[in-house]
């Protein structure tokens, strides 16, 4: 049976943490002591803060644009109408003494990481897409919260496939080669948002003015990408997830 997934039709720049440090030090952060002057990198003592700013910038971009989509299977139980998309309910992370049931069907080698930003689509094992947040349809399912699926009429033993907008994997700062997946057209926006946070953290009158300049630049770049439809997605079908897990 089929399910739907979103394919991202945009190119991503070959970027890692080391290259990001270099671009920030020679650009958005060049006027701050964050940058090691003439070294093309970020001073060691400021790297944890820059990593924190980068994770926040990535979350902003991955929330504003659908840059990454994933799917997961949820096994329904007759007595459960609210399915929390949390790691503690996944097979790979289930502790029976803490939770009575596990209903997120994943594998130890491919664990659910609780990286949901927004549920985009829900389908059954036959590939039929269910109405979402539509009170006019009796079969509709609902998303009262970002990481919560409400199924008013659950069918025991029947799996649902959830397609969701996912966040970027967390940047830890431990590996300079760690990849940062940002489309070419949004790289400057990422740098601007990190610059906005860095200048705001200095908290002087001049730095706060500079931070607002960076935030305005971020907004301009994102709006341009939206207006020109530079970041777009499309829908196609596949049956990999249901077949792999034996739900046919």
């Amino acid at each position: 049976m089929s399910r739907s997934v979103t394919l991202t039709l945009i190119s991503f720049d070959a970027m890692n943490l080391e290259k990001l440090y270099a671009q920030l030090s020679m650009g958005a952060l060049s006027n701050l002591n964050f940058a090691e002057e003439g070294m093309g990198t970020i001073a060691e003592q400021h790297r944890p803060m820059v990593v924190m700013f980068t994770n926040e910038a990535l979350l902003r971009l991955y929330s504003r644009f659908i840059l990454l989509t994933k799917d997961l299977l949820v096994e329904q139980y007759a007595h459960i109408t609210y399915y929390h998309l949390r790691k503690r309910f996944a097979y790979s992370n289930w502790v029976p003494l803490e939770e009575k049931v596990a209903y997120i069907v994943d594998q130890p080698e491919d664990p659910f990481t609780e990286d949901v930003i927004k549920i985009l689509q829900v389908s059954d094992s036959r590939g039929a897409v269910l109405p979402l947040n539509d009170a006019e349809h009796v079969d509709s399912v609902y998303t009262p919260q970002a990481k919560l699926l409400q199924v008013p009429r659950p069918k025991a033993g029947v799996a649902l496939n959830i397609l969701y907008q996912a966040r970027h994997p967390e940047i830890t700062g431990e590996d300079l080669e760690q990849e940062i997946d940002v489309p070419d057209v949004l790289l400057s926006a990422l740098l601007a948002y990190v610059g906005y946070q860095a200048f705001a953290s200095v908290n002087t009158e001049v730095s706060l003015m500079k931070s607002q300049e960076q935030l305005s630049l971020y907004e301009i770049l994102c709006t341009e990408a939206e207006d020109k439809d530079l970041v777009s997605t499309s829908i196609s079908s596949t049956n990999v997830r249901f077949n792999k897990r034996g739900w046919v």
Side-chain angles (χ1 to χ4, degrees), residues 16-78:
N16 60 27
L17 186 56
E18 184 175 26
K19 292 180 181 178
L20 180 70
Y21 285 160
Q23 294 211 25
L24 287 169
S25 69
M26 293 182 290
L29 305 186
S30 60
N31 294 327
L32 291 174
N33 62 358
F34 283 67
E36 294 220 328
E37 188 174 353
M39 300 296 291
T41 188
I42 299 297
E44 191 76 31
Q45 67 269 28
H46 294 298
R47 288 184 178 184
M49 187 173 291
V50 171
V51 167
M52 180 177 67
F53 295 157
T54 300
N55 279 318
E56 175 62 23
L58 288 168
L59 178 57
R60 294 280 182 173
L61 289 171
Y62 272 67
S63 298
R64 185 163 184 166
F65 301 93
I66 301 177
L67 301 180
L68 176 64
T69 59
K70 295 183 180 181
D71 65 335
L72 75 157
L73 292 183
V74 169
E75 179 184 359
Q76 298 179 79
Y77 288 81

Side-chain angles (χ1 to χ4, degrees), residues 101-169:
V101 297
Y103 43 71
I104 296 175
V105 185
D106 65 351
Q107 299 292 329
E109 67 273 14
D110 184 24
F112 174 58
T113 59
E114 205 173 307
D115 55 351
V116 178
I117 293 177
K118 181 182 179 180
I119 295 174
L120 301 174
Q121 182 176 282
V122 180
S123 56
D124 62 22
S125 59
R126 298 171 299 173
V129 177
L130 302 180
L132 188 62
N133 298 317
D134 189 346
E136 298 299 317
H137 287 80
V138 68
D139 292 329
S140 181
V141 293
Y142 299 88
T143 56
Q145 298 176 12
K147 296 183 180 181
L148 178 62
L149 179 68
Q150 179 186 5
V151 184
R153 296 173 177 79
K155 300 177 182 178
V158 177
L160 295 176
N161 188 79
I162 299 176
L163 175 72
Y164 65 92
Q165 181 177 352
R167 62 186 298 163
H168 190 285

